[in-house]
Amino acid sequence: MTALGLFNYWAVIFLMMVGFYTLIARGNLVKKIIGLNIFQTSVFILYITMGKIAGGTAPIFVKGGEDVSYSNPIPHVLILTAIVVGVATSAVGLSLVIRIKEAFGTIEEDEIQDESL
Amino acid sequence: MVEFVDIALLVLLGITAFSIIRQKNLFAAVMMAGIYSLLSAALFVVMDAVDVAFTEAAVGAGISTILMLGTLALVGHSEHQPQHRPILPLFVVILTGAVLVYGTLDIPPFGDASNPVHHHVAPHYLEESEHEIGIPNVVTSVLASYRGYDTMGETTVIFAALVGVLLLLSLGPRPGRVASNGRATTTVRERDKAVSEEGMEEAQGDTLQVSDEENTLEDTNG
Amino acid sequence: MDDRVILRVGAKILIPFILLFALYVQFHGDYGPGGGFQAGVIFAAGFVLYGLIYGLGNVKRVLPPQAVYICSALGVLLFAGVGYVTMALGGVFLDYGVLAHDPEHGQHYGILLVELGVLITVFGVMVAVFYAFAGRGRVET
């Protein structure tokens, strides 16, 4: 597994930058939230990658397995809760988008700016 | 074999993410986001994080997609062509990415058991959990017992998020009643809010001169 | 609606198993992958599926919004309540060892109750958010 080196981290950075680009370059608010979700998931992958031990197994004890090495459970716990919190906060963002649509009649950033001038 | 699966999944994730940006139809983008979540769940299984994979598959590909689709049903599903050139964002993104890649050069290699991250409290959890808590799944014992405060905080955050959603969507003026001129349908409870919104629009100098008359009308009614 | 026979019958067959699977995930979480967060989401998914196929009005008759709101607060209260009970029994906040004579059994009870609190909150929040989004009606522009 060490042959992989830093590939996972670079892939994570690529995904992170794709999400970041969607967030700053696109004017559509729903697209921005999708970009935020891509970014968020890349952070999850970063954490889980750090917790992985080569040749390890999931941190659930097996009977009689004294010499089994387990992957680090702490990142798993952190990310497990972060996923559910992430969807809850996305819901808040999406409801803000709905209210913006009702108030301005559009969810495109530049049109909202024109309207509020 | 594991390396191969890992690389394949990461490449697929990259392709999916890239096609999400290229996609102009938001329905398609949301479905791609669901696929992205499911692929990342598969990656978590490869990385031994079965609990996380379970959650990601249920939340990311299930509930999250439904919420996005529900939003699209309300706000429409076409994205406009961006007006400005994407040069500046591209520059910012490439610069940030380059700095982050430079930062990874110091990171200890992937999967090494001697990495510092594995030498703090993790060994304690893995060795003592069986005697102190007595359940085989270490993730559950850390989640519920060792880091119970943390989980309680997360539960409270979820509850707070629900309060926010309800305040935004369930209590405000109903759609179509304030925006169009059907003011008669506004109930007494929602009137105060509607009036204050009108006040805001007036202050912005919009074409809502009728609002004063309507206010007096409503005052006599109420 | 008659042209969706496959969806309606399929959902009717699937929903009991989804709910049962959620309970399995909840109570098997100590021994395998699973726990309150996953179980809550899956349990909510059963009701969301019912709402998608049979309409919001029907699912609200099965599960009134008031009940869902109460659920989402009740779970947090249960979680914090376990913490206060452990304090009252002489331990520190969320130290489940004092819940039974044998600390290990106490941990079992504590984790069971706390996971139940997480299940109830996550279930309530997910269904309530679905109600809020689905009940918003189309915007007139």
Side-chain angles (χ1 to χ4, degrees), chain A residues 37 83-91 94, chain B residues 30-31 33-34 37-38 54-71 158, chain C residues 18 37-50 52 122-131 133:
Chain A
N37 280 346
I83 290 174
V84 182
V85 171
V87 75
T89 46
S90 297
L94 289 171
Chain B
V30 167
M31 294 323 287
S37 278
L38 207 58
F54 208 153
T55 319
E56 178 70 40
V59 171
I63 300 283
S64 181
T65 309
I66 287 175
L67 289 184
M68 291 269 187
L69 290 177
T71 311
I158 297 169
Chain C
I18 293 176
F37 285 100
Q38 294 94 325
V41 172
I42 295 170
F43 210 79
F47 284 94
V48 170
L49 178 63
Y50 188 84
L52 286 176
V122 172
F123 162 70
V125 169
M126 292 300 157
V127 176
V129 166
F130 171 69
Y131 282 178
F133 275 75

Short mmCIF file of all heavy atoms in Angstrom, two decimals, chain A residues 37 83-91 94, chain B residues 30-31 33-34 37-38 54-71 158, chain C residues 18 37-50 52 122-131 133:
data_model
loop_
_atom_site.label_atom_id
_atom_site.label_comp_id
_atom_site.label_asym_id
_atom_site.label_seq_id
_atom_site.Cartn_x
_atom_site.Cartn_y
_atom_site.Cartn_z
N ASN A 37 -20.57 20.65 -1.34
CA ASN A 37 -20.65 19.24 -0.96
C ASN A 37 -19.46 18.46 -1.50
O ASN A 37 -18.96 17.56 -0.82
CB ASN A 37 -21.95 18.63 -1.49
CG ASN A 37 -23.13 18.98 -0.60
OD1 ASN A 37 -22.95 19.46 0.50
ND2 ASN A 37 -24.32 18.76 -1.10
N ILE A 83 -20.71 13.87 8.55
CA ILE A 83 -21.57 13.65 7.38
C ILE A 83 -23.00 14.05 7.69
O ILE A 83 -23.65 14.76 6.92
CB ILE A 83 -21.50 12.17 6.94
CG1 ILE A 83 -20.14 11.86 6.34
CG2 ILE A 83 -22.58 11.87 5.94
CD1 ILE A 83 -19.93 10.41 6.03
N VAL A 84 -23.50 13.61 8.86
CA VAL A 84 -24.89 13.91 9.19
C VAL A 84 -25.07 15.40 9.45
O VAL A 84 -26.04 16.02 9.01
CB VAL A 84 -25.34 13.05 10.39
CG1 VAL A 84 -26.78 13.30 10.70
CG2 VAL A 84 -25.14 11.60 10.08
N VAL A 85 -24.08 15.99 10.15
CA VAL A 85 -24.15 17.44 10.35
C VAL A 85 -24.07 18.17 9.01
O VAL A 85 -24.76 19.17 8.78
CB VAL A 85 -23.03 17.89 11.30
CG1 VAL A 85 -22.94 19.39 11.35
CG2 VAL A 85 -23.27 17.35 12.68
N GLY A 86 -23.26 17.62 8.09
CA GLY A 86 -23.12 18.24 6.77
C GLY A 86 -24.44 18.29 6.04
O GLY A 86 -24.78 19.31 5.44
N VAL A 87 -25.21 17.21 6.07
CA VAL A 87 -26.48 17.23 5.34
C VAL A 87 -27.46 18.18 6.03
O VAL A 87 -28.24 18.87 5.36
CB VAL A 87 -27.06 15.82 5.16
CG1 VAL A 87 -27.65 15.28 6.41
CG2 VAL A 87 -28.14 15.83 4.10
N ALA A 88 -27.38 18.27 7.35
CA ALA A 88 -28.28 19.19 8.05
C ALA A 88 -27.96 20.64 7.68
O ALA A 88 -28.86 21.45 7.42
CB ALA A 88 -28.18 18.99 9.56
N THR A 89 -26.66 20.97 7.61
CA THR A 89 -26.31 22.35 7.26
C THR A 89 -26.60 22.62 5.78
O THR A 89 -26.98 23.74 5.43
CB THR A 89 -24.84 22.63 7.57
OG1 THR A 89 -24.06 21.55 7.09
CG2 THR A 89 -24.63 22.77 9.05
N SER A 90 -26.43 21.60 4.91
CA SER A 90 -26.82 21.78 3.51
C SER A 90 -28.29 22.11 3.41
O SER A 90 -28.70 22.93 2.59
CB SER A 90 -26.58 20.52 2.68
OG SER A 90 -25.25 20.19 2.64
N ALA A 91 -29.11 21.47 4.27
CA ALA A 91 -30.54 21.73 4.24
C ALA A 91 -30.81 23.20 4.58
O ALA A 91 -31.66 23.84 3.96
CB ALA A 91 -31.26 20.81 5.22
N LEU A 94 -29.93 25.17 1.50
CA LEU A 94 -30.92 25.04 0.44
C LEU A 94 -32.18 25.81 0.78
O LEU A 94 -32.83 26.39 -0.11
CB LEU A 94 -31.24 23.56 0.22
CG LEU A 94 -30.12 22.76 -0.44
CD1 LEU A 94 -30.44 21.28 -0.43
CD2 LEU A 94 -29.91 23.21 -1.87
N VAL B 30 -27.30 17.18 -9.94
CA VAL B 30 -27.66 16.59 -8.64
C VAL B 30 -27.53 15.07 -8.69
O VAL B 30 -27.03 14.45 -7.75
CB VAL B 30 -29.09 17.02 -8.26
CG1 VAL B 30 -29.60 16.19 -7.11
CG2 VAL B 30 -29.12 18.47 -7.89
N MET B 31 -27.94 14.47 -9.80
CA MET B 31 -27.79 13.02 -9.91
C MET B 31 -26.32 12.63 -9.91
O MET B 31 -25.93 11.63 -9.28
CB MET B 31 -28.47 12.50 -11.17
CG MET B 31 -29.98 12.65 -11.21
SD MET B 31 -30.79 12.41 -9.64
CE MET B 31 -30.65 10.65 -9.44
N ALA B 33 -24.05 14.25 -8.39
CA ALA B 33 -23.59 14.40 -7.00
C ALA B 33 -23.96 13.17 -6.18
O ALA B 33 -23.19 12.74 -5.32
CB ALA B 33 -24.21 15.66 -6.38
N GLY B 34 -25.13 12.56 -6.49
CA GLY B 34 -25.48 11.32 -5.82
C GLY B 34 -24.50 10.20 -6.15
O GLY B 34 -24.07 9.45 -5.27
N SER B 37 -21.33 10.71 -4.24
CA SER B 37 -21.44 10.25 -2.85
C SER B 37 -21.30 8.74 -2.76
O SER B 37 -20.61 8.23 -1.87
CB SER B 37 -22.79 10.65 -2.28
OG SER B 37 -22.77 11.97 -1.85
N LEU B 38 -21.97 8.04 -3.68
CA LEU B 38 -21.93 6.58 -3.62
C LEU B 38 -20.51 6.07 -3.89
O LEU B 38 -20.04 5.14 -3.23
CB LEU B 38 -22.91 6.02 -4.65
CG LEU B 38 -23.47 4.64 -4.33
CD1 LEU B 38 -24.17 4.65 -3.00
CD2 LEU B 38 -24.41 4.19 -5.41
N PHE B 54 -21.27 3.45 5.41
CA PHE B 54 -22.68 3.23 5.66
C PHE B 54 -23.42 4.58 5.73
O PHE B 54 -24.43 4.80 5.05
CB PHE B 54 -22.79 2.52 7.01
CG PHE B 54 -23.99 1.66 7.16
CD1 PHE B 54 -23.96 0.58 8.01
CD2 PHE B 54 -25.14 1.92 6.47
CE1 PHE B 54 -25.05 -0.23 8.18
CE2 PHE B 54 -26.24 1.12 6.63
CZ PHE B 54 -26.19 0.05 7.49
N THR B 55 -22.86 5.48 6.52
CA THR B 55 -23.51 6.78 6.69
C THR B 55 -23.53 7.55 5.39
O THR B 55 -24.54 8.15 5.00
CB THR B 55 -22.77 7.59 7.75
OG1 THR B 55 -22.43 6.72 8.81
CG2 THR B 55 -23.63 8.71 8.27
N GLU B 56 -22.39 7.54 4.69
CA GLU B 56 -22.31 8.32 3.45
C GLU B 56 -23.30 7.78 2.42
O GLU B 56 -23.95 8.57 1.72
CB GLU B 56 -20.87 8.25 2.90
CG GLU B 56 -20.65 8.97 1.59
CD GLU B 56 -20.72 10.49 1.71
OE1 GLU B 56 -20.20 11.01 2.71
OE2 GLU B 56 -21.27 11.13 0.81
N ALA B 57 -23.42 6.45 2.34
CA ALA B 57 -24.35 5.88 1.36
C ALA B 57 -25.79 6.25 1.70
O ALA B 57 -26.58 6.57 0.82
CB ALA B 57 -24.19 4.37 1.30
N ALA B 58 -26.12 6.23 3.00
CA ALA B 58 -27.50 6.53 3.38
C ALA B 58 -27.79 8.03 3.26
O ALA B 58 -28.85 8.42 2.77
CB ALA B 58 -27.77 6.06 4.81
N VAL B 59 -26.85 8.85 3.71
CA VAL B 59 -27.09 10.30 3.75
C VAL B 59 -26.80 10.94 2.40
O VAL B 59 -27.65 11.61 1.81
CB VAL B 59 -26.24 10.95 4.85
CG1 VAL B 59 -26.32 12.45 4.75
CG2 VAL B 59 -26.70 10.50 6.20
N GLY B 60 -25.58 10.74 1.90
CA GLY B 60 -25.14 11.46 0.71
C GLY B 60 -25.93 11.06 -0.52
O GLY B 60 -26.38 11.91 -1.29
N ALA B 61 -26.10 9.75 -0.71
CA ALA B 61 -26.78 9.31 -1.92
C ALA B 61 -28.29 9.27 -1.74
O ALA B 61 -29.03 9.28 -2.71
CB ALA B 61 -26.27 7.93 -2.33
N GLY B 62 -28.76 9.25 -0.49
CA GLY B 62 -30.20 9.15 -0.26
C GLY B 62 -30.84 10.48 0.07
O GLY B 62 -31.37 11.17 -0.80
N ILE B 63 -30.76 10.86 1.34
CA ILE B 63 -31.48 12.04 1.83
C ILE B 63 -31.01 13.31 1.13
O ILE B 63 -31.81 14.14 0.71
CB ILE B 63 -31.28 12.16 3.35
CG1 ILE B 63 -31.80 10.93 4.06
CG2 ILE B 63 -31.92 13.43 3.88
CD1 ILE B 63 -33.28 10.89 4.21
N SER B 64 -29.69 13.44 0.97
CA SER B 64 -29.15 14.67 0.39
C SER B 64 -29.67 14.89 -1.02
O SER B 64 -30.07 16.01 -1.39
CB SER B 64 -27.62 14.58 0.40
OG SER B 64 -27.07 15.73 -0.11
N THR B 65 -29.70 13.80 -1.83
CA THR B 65 -30.19 13.92 -3.19
C THR B 65 -31.66 14.32 -3.21
O THR B 65 -32.08 15.16 -4.01
CB THR B 65 -30.01 12.58 -3.92
OG1 THR B 65 -28.66 12.16 -3.74
CG2 THR B 65 -30.29 12.71 -5.38
N ILE B 66 -32.44 13.75 -2.29
CA ILE B 66 -33.87 14.08 -2.25
C ILE B 66 -34.07 15.55 -1.89
O ILE B 66 -34.89 16.24 -2.49
CB ILE B 66 -34.59 13.16 -1.25
CG1 ILE B 66 -34.70 11.76 -1.85
CG2 ILE B 66 -35.97 13.69 -0.91
CD1 ILE B 66 -35.28 10.76 -0.95
N LEU B 67 -33.27 16.05 -0.95
CA LEU B 67 -33.39 17.47 -0.58
C LEU B 67 -33.04 18.37 -1.75
O LEU B 67 -33.71 19.36 -2.03
CB LEU B 67 -32.48 17.79 0.61
CG LEU B 67 -32.89 17.21 1.95
CD1 LEU B 67 -31.96 17.70 3.04
CD2 LEU B 67 -34.31 17.60 2.27
N MET B 68 -31.95 17.99 -2.47
CA MET B 68 -31.55 18.80 -3.63
C MET B 68 -32.67 18.80 -4.68
O MET B 68 -32.99 19.85 -5.25
CB MET B 68 -30.29 18.19 -4.26
CG MET B 68 -29.07 18.35 -3.41
SD MET B 68 -28.23 19.87 -3.81
CE MET B 68 -26.77 19.67 -2.84
N LEU B 69 -33.24 17.61 -4.94
CA LEU B 69 -34.31 17.54 -5.95
C LEU B 69 -35.52 18.34 -5.50
O LEU B 69 -36.15 19.02 -6.32
CB LEU B 69 -34.69 16.07 -6.20
CG LEU B 69 -33.65 15.24 -6.93
CD1 LEU B 69 -34.12 13.80 -7.05
CD2 LEU B 69 -33.38 15.80 -8.31
N GLY B 70 -35.83 18.28 -4.19
CA GLY B 70 -36.94 19.07 -3.69
C GLY B 70 -36.70 20.56 -3.89
O GLY B 70 -37.61 21.31 -4.25
N THR B 71 -35.44 20.98 -3.69
CA THR B 71 -35.11 22.39 -3.92
C THR B 71 -35.25 22.76 -5.39
O THR B 71 -35.80 23.81 -5.74
CB THR B 71 -33.67 22.66 -3.47
OG1 THR B 71 -33.50 22.12 -2.18
CG2 THR B 71 -33.38 24.14 -3.44
N ILE B 158 -27.43 19.30 14.82
CA ILE B 158 -28.45 18.83 13.87
C ILE B 158 -29.80 19.42 14.25
O ILE B 158 -30.56 19.90 13.41
CB ILE B 158 -28.50 17.30 13.87
CG1 ILE B 158 -27.19 16.73 13.39
CG2 ILE B 158 -29.61 16.80 12.99
CD1 ILE B 158 -27.07 15.26 13.61
N ILE C 18 -37.39 -1.77 5.23
CA ILE C 18 -36.48 -0.65 5.48
C ILE C 18 -36.52 -0.29 6.97
O ILE C 18 -35.48 -0.11 7.61
CB ILE C 18 -36.89 0.56 4.61
CG1 ILE C 18 -36.64 0.25 3.14
CG2 ILE C 18 -36.10 1.79 5.01
CD1 ILE C 18 -37.09 1.34 2.21
N PHE C 37 -26.78 7.22 14.12
CA PHE C 37 -26.83 8.12 12.98
C PHE C 37 -27.36 7.41 11.73
O PHE C 37 -28.29 7.88 11.07
CB PHE C 37 -25.45 8.70 12.69
CG PHE C 37 -25.04 9.76 13.66
CD1 PHE C 37 -24.19 9.47 14.71
CD2 PHE C 37 -25.50 11.06 13.55
CE1 PHE C 37 -23.82 10.44 15.61
CE2 PHE C 37 -25.13 12.03 14.44
CZ PHE C 37 -24.29 11.73 15.48
N GLN C 38 -26.77 6.24 11.44
CA GLN C 38 -27.19 5.52 10.25
C GLN C 38 -28.63 5.06 10.38
O GLN C 38 -29.44 5.21 9.46
CB GLN C 38 -26.30 4.28 10.03
CG GLN C 38 -24.87 4.59 9.71
CD GLN C 38 -24.00 4.59 10.95
OE1 GLN C 38 -24.44 4.98 12.02
NE2 GLN C 38 -22.77 4.17 10.81
N ALA C 39 -28.97 4.50 11.55
CA ALA C 39 -30.32 3.97 11.74
C ALA C 39 -31.35 5.08 11.62
O ALA C 39 -32.41 4.88 11.01
CB ALA C 39 -30.42 3.29 13.10
N GLY C 40 -31.04 6.25 12.17
CA GLY C 40 -31.99 7.36 12.08
C GLY C 40 -32.24 7.75 10.64
O GLY C 40 -33.39 7.97 10.23
N VAL C 41 -31.17 7.81 9.85
CA VAL C 41 -31.33 8.19 8.46
C VAL C 41 -32.13 7.15 7.70
O VAL C 41 -33.03 7.48 6.90
CB VAL C 41 -29.95 8.43 7.80
CG1 VAL C 41 -30.11 8.63 6.32
CG2 VAL C 41 -29.27 9.61 8.43
N ILE C 42 -31.85 5.86 7.96
CA ILE C 42 -32.56 4.81 7.23
C ILE C 42 -34.03 4.79 7.63
O ILE C 42 -34.93 4.64 6.79
CB ILE C 42 -31.89 3.45 7.46
CG1 ILE C 42 -30.48 3.46 6.87
CG2 ILE C 42 -32.69 2.33 6.85
CD1 ILE C 42 -29.66 2.27 7.24
N PHE C 43 -34.30 4.95 8.92
CA PHE C 43 -35.68 4.98 9.40
C PHE C 43 -36.43 6.13 8.74
O PHE C 43 -37.58 5.97 8.30
CB PHE C 43 -35.68 5.13 10.92
CG PHE C 43 -36.85 4.51 11.60
CD1 PHE C 43 -36.88 3.14 11.81
CD2 PHE C 43 -37.92 5.26 12.03
CE1 PHE C 43 -37.96 2.55 12.43
CE2 PHE C 43 -39.00 4.68 12.66
CZ PHE C 43 -39.03 3.32 12.85
N ALA C 44 -35.76 7.30 8.66
CA ALA C 44 -36.39 8.45 8.02
C ALA C 44 -36.60 8.16 6.53
O ALA C 44 -37.63 8.55 5.96
CB ALA C 44 -35.54 9.69 8.20
N ALA C 45 -35.64 7.45 5.91
CA ALA C 45 -35.76 7.17 4.48
C ALA C 45 -37.02 6.35 4.18
O ALA C 45 -37.65 6.54 3.14
CB ALA C 45 -34.52 6.44 3.99
N GLY C 46 -37.40 5.46 5.10
CA GLY C 46 -38.63 4.70 4.91
C GLY C 46 -39.83 5.63 4.79
O GLY C 46 -40.65 5.48 3.87
N PHE C 47 -39.92 6.60 5.68
CA PHE C 47 -41.06 7.52 5.64
C PHE C 47 -40.96 8.46 4.44
O PHE C 47 -41.98 8.83 3.85
CB PHE C 47 -41.14 8.31 6.94
CG PHE C 47 -41.68 7.51 8.08
CD1 PHE C 47 -40.83 6.84 8.93
CD2 PHE C 47 -43.04 7.38 8.26
CE1 PHE C 47 -41.32 6.08 9.96
CE2 PHE C 47 -43.54 6.61 9.28
CZ PHE C 47 -42.68 5.95 10.14
N VAL C 48 -39.74 8.86 4.09
CA VAL C 48 -39.57 9.73 2.92
C VAL C 48 -40.03 9.01 1.66
O VAL C 48 -40.72 9.59 0.81
CB VAL C 48 -38.10 10.19 2.80
CG1 VAL C 48 -37.86 10.88 1.47
CG2 VAL C 48 -37.74 11.13 3.93
N LEU C 49 -39.69 7.71 1.57
CA LEU C 49 -40.14 6.93 0.42
C LEU C 49 -41.65 6.88 0.37
O LEU C 49 -42.27 7.09 -0.69
CB LEU C 49 -39.56 5.51 0.51
CG LEU C 49 -39.96 4.54 -0.59
CD1 LEU C 49 -39.46 5.03 -1.93
CD2 LEU C 49 -39.43 3.16 -0.32
N TYR C 50 -42.28 6.65 1.51
CA TYR C 50 -43.74 6.63 1.57
C TYR C 50 -44.30 7.97 1.10
O TYR C 50 -45.26 8.02 0.32
CB TYR C 50 -44.18 6.34 3.01
CG TYR C 50 -45.66 6.13 3.15
CD1 TYR C 50 -46.22 4.88 2.91
CD2 TYR C 50 -46.50 7.17 3.51
CE1 TYR C 50 -47.57 4.68 3.02
CE2 TYR C 50 -47.86 6.98 3.64
CZ TYR C 50 -48.39 5.73 3.39
OH TYR C 50 -49.74 5.54 3.50
N LEU C 52 -42.87 10.14 -0.90
CA LEU C 52 -42.63 10.36 -2.32
C LEU C 52 -43.65 9.62 -3.17
O LEU C 52 -44.10 10.13 -4.19
CB LEU C 52 -41.22 9.90 -2.71
CG LEU C 52 -40.06 10.77 -2.26
CD1 LEU C 52 -38.75 10.11 -2.64
CD2 LEU C 52 -40.15 12.14 -2.87
N VAL C 122 -32.01 12.22 14.87
CA VAL C 122 -31.69 12.22 13.45
C VAL C 122 -32.94 11.88 12.63
O VAL C 122 -33.23 12.53 11.62
CB VAL C 122 -30.55 11.21 13.16
CG1 VAL C 122 -30.35 11.05 11.67
CG2 VAL C 122 -29.28 11.69 13.79
N PHE C 123 -33.72 10.90 13.11
CA PHE C 123 -34.96 10.55 12.42
C PHE C 123 -35.89 11.76 12.35
O PHE C 123 -36.39 12.12 11.27
CB PHE C 123 -35.63 9.38 13.16
CG PHE C 123 -37.08 9.21 12.84
CD1 PHE C 123 -37.47 8.75 11.60
CD2 PHE C 123 -38.04 9.52 13.78
CE1 PHE C 123 -38.81 8.60 11.31
CE2 PHE C 123 -39.38 9.36 13.50
CZ PHE C 123 -39.76 8.90 12.25
N GLY C 124 -36.08 12.41 13.50
CA GLY C 124 -37.00 13.55 13.53
C GLY C 124 -36.55 14.66 12.61
O GLY C 124 -37.33 15.23 11.85
N VAL C 125 -35.23 14.96 12.67
CA VAL C 125 -34.73 16.09 11.87
C VAL C 125 -34.87 15.79 10.39
O VAL C 125 -35.33 16.63 9.60
CB VAL C 125 -33.27 16.39 12.25
CG1 VAL C 125 -32.66 17.35 11.26
CG2 VAL C 125 -33.20 16.96 13.64
N MET C 126 -34.50 14.57 9.97
CA MET C 126 -34.53 14.25 8.54
C MET C 126 -35.97 14.32 8.01
O MET C 126 -36.23 14.89 6.95
CB MET C 126 -33.96 12.86 8.28
CG MET C 126 -32.47 12.77 8.55
SD MET C 126 -31.53 13.87 7.51
CE MET C 126 -30.04 14.07 8.45
N VAL C 127 -36.92 13.73 8.75
CA VAL C 127 -38.31 13.75 8.27
C VAL C 127 -38.86 15.18 8.29
O VAL C 127 -39.54 15.60 7.36
CB VAL C 127 -39.18 12.80 9.11
CG1 VAL C 127 -40.63 12.89 8.67
CG2 VAL C 127 -38.69 11.38 8.95
N ALA C 128 -38.51 15.95 9.34
CA ALA C 128 -39.03 17.31 9.43
C ALA C 128 -38.49 18.18 8.31
O ALA C 128 -39.22 18.99 7.73
CB ALA C 128 -38.67 17.91 10.78
N VAL C 129 -37.20 17.98 7.96
CA VAL C 129 -36.63 18.75 6.86
C VAL C 129 -37.31 18.36 5.55
O VAL C 129 -37.63 19.22 4.72
CB VAL C 129 -35.10 18.52 6.79
CG1 VAL C 129 -34.53 19.02 5.48
CG2 VAL C 129 -34.42 19.21 7.94
N PHE C 130 -37.59 17.06 5.38
CA PHE C 130 -38.31 16.63 4.18
C PHE C 130 -39.69 17.27 4.11
O PHE C 130 -40.09 17.78 3.06
CB PHE C 130 -38.42 15.10 4.17
CG PHE C 130 -39.32 14.57 3.09
CD1 PHE C 130 -38.94 14.65 1.76
CD2 PHE C 130 -40.54 14.00 3.40
CE1 PHE C 130 -39.77 14.17 0.77
CE2 PHE C 130 -41.37 13.52 2.42
CZ PHE C 130 -40.98 13.61 1.10
N TYR C 131 -40.41 17.29 5.22
CA TYR C 131 -41.73 17.93 5.26
C TYR C 131 -41.60 19.40 4.87
O TYR C 131 -42.41 19.92 4.09
CB TYR C 131 -42.33 17.85 6.66
CG TYR C 131 -42.94 16.52 7.02
CD1 TYR C 131 -43.47 16.32 8.29
CD2 TYR C 131 -42.97 15.48 6.12
CE1 TYR C 131 -44.03 15.11 8.64
CE2 TYR C 131 -43.51 14.27 6.47
CZ TYR C 131 -44.04 14.08 7.73
OH TYR C 131 -44.58 12.88 8.07
N PHE C 133 -39.34 20.95 3.10
CA PHE C 133 -39.02 21.18 1.69
C PHE C 133 -40.18 20.79 0.79
O PHE C 133 -40.51 21.50 -0.16
CB PHE C 133 -37.77 20.38 1.29
CG PHE C 133 -36.50 21.09 1.58
CD1 PHE C 133 -36.03 21.18 2.88
CD2 PHE C 133 -35.76 21.69 0.59
CE1 PHE C 133 -34.87 21.84 3.17
CE2 PHE C 133 -34.59 22.36 0.87
CZ PHE C 133 -34.14 22.44 2.16
#
